[in-house]
Amino acid sequence: VLLQKAGNRLFVHANDAGLYELTGSRFRFIEGSGFLANDEIKVVLPFPDNRILVGALESGLFIYDGNGFVPWSVPASEEIRNAEINIGILLDGKFFIGTIAGGLYILNKEGRLLHHLHTGNHLQNNTVLALKPDQSGNLWVCLDKGIDYVQLGNQLDLYLDRTGRLGSVYAAASSGDELYIGTNHGLFRFGPDPAAGPGEPVMLPGSNGQVWNL
């Protein structure tokens, strides 16, 4: 049995049965939740229009509208399901979904993936065990290895070069959604990747050598 709170509502997942809502001292079975009986319901969160977002370890994300369950069919849903949902919170109108194998996914209410934090960009570890907001509106992320602090109001993007491909950076200029970096190795372009920060840098053909100004 696992107790989950969605706003002022309490839900209980009973093994081999499905999802129940606790009202006073009575348990009411949620019709249609039987397909989750042998799964592990990890997330139950308020969703717009008095609906509920339900996240299960194996089955993924669903919307319950009071009558039945429908998959939350957004572009990131399959990736999140494959990463194994483990925990979730609602903070400032955004859904934070922590996973076993894929780190932390941040989505808006329309289901657009705003950020995906993982070991390839910011997190120390991809297994998210707990999420706790602080009084400043930022987020502490408890991991299988370590604790990370996510500054949600930070206006800075971090461009990390873990491989040393870029070399020494001398100049930078933006054009539309793209960022150009001039280094002692040549001219590189970063394409946009809103979910995970800047994408991987690509060296422009024929630009090998020192680039001092842009």
Side-chain angles (χ1 to χ4, degrees):
V1 177
L2 183 64
L3 179 67
Q4 297 278 358
K5 185 176 182 180
N8 295 320
R9 302 172 68 181
L10 295 175
F11 294 87
V12 172
H13 178 223
N15 295 333
D16 299 324
L19 191 65
Y20 289 80
E21 183 172 6
L22 177 60
T23 305
S25 59
R26 294 179 177 273
F27 288 95
R28 179 180 66 86
F29 182 69
I30 302 297
E31 295 296 333
S33 68
F35 75 102
L36 296 170
N38 296 314
D39 206 337
E40 294 183 47
I41 297 177
K42 297 288 192 174
V43 174
V44 182
L45 297 172
F47 200 79
D49 301 323
N50 294 317
R51 294 175 292 173
I52 299 293
L53 176 65
V54 177
L57 178 66
E58 296 182 1
S59 302
L61 296 168
F62 297 86
I63 303 297
Y64 174 67
D65 63 0
N67 297 308
F69 292 79
V70 295
W72 197 24
S73 299
V74 297
S77 62
E78 186 65 14
E79 180 180 345
I80 294 173
R81 185 187 71 81
N82 290 333
E84 298 181 89
I85 297 167
N86 192 48
I87 193 168
I89 64 170
L90 177 64
L91 179 62
D92 292 333
K94 302 180 183 68
F95 297 98
F96 294 74
I97 308 295
T99 67
I100 296 293
L104 177 64
Y105 295 82
I106 306 174
L107 303 94
N108 64 12
K109 62 182 180 180
E110 287 78 28
R112 183 168 69 89
L113 183 61
L114 304 175
H115 299 285
H116 176 204
L117 306 182
H118 51 84
T119 55
N121 48 36
H122 300 289
L123 293 188
Q124 299 178 75
N125 184 266
N126 277 336
T127 300
V128 180
L129 301 178
L131 299 168
K132 180 65 176 179
D134 62 17
Q135 293 180 347
S136 300
N138 295 308
L139 186 67
W140 292 90
V141 183
C142 180
L143 305 166
D144 192 51
K145 178 183 178 182
I147 299 174
D148 284 358
Y149 181 59
V150 180
Q151 290 183 289
L152 299 174
N154 196 349
Q155 297 301 310
L156 299 177
D157 279 331
L158 298 179
Y159 292 73
L160 304 178
D161 178 27
R162 301 183 187 276
T163 65
R165 288 179 55 210
L166 292 180
S168 299
V169 176
Y170 297 133
S174 61
S175 177
D177 291 331
E178 296 180 321
L179 176 67
Y180 292 86
I181 300 291
T183 80
N184 66 321
H185 291 172
L187 180 62
F188 293 82
R189 180 179 65 234
F190 284 88
D193 186 353
E200 291 297 317
V202 176
M203 177 183 274
L204 300 187
S207 71
N208 303 65
Q210 305 272 3
V211 177
W212 299 103
N213 293 291
L214 295 173

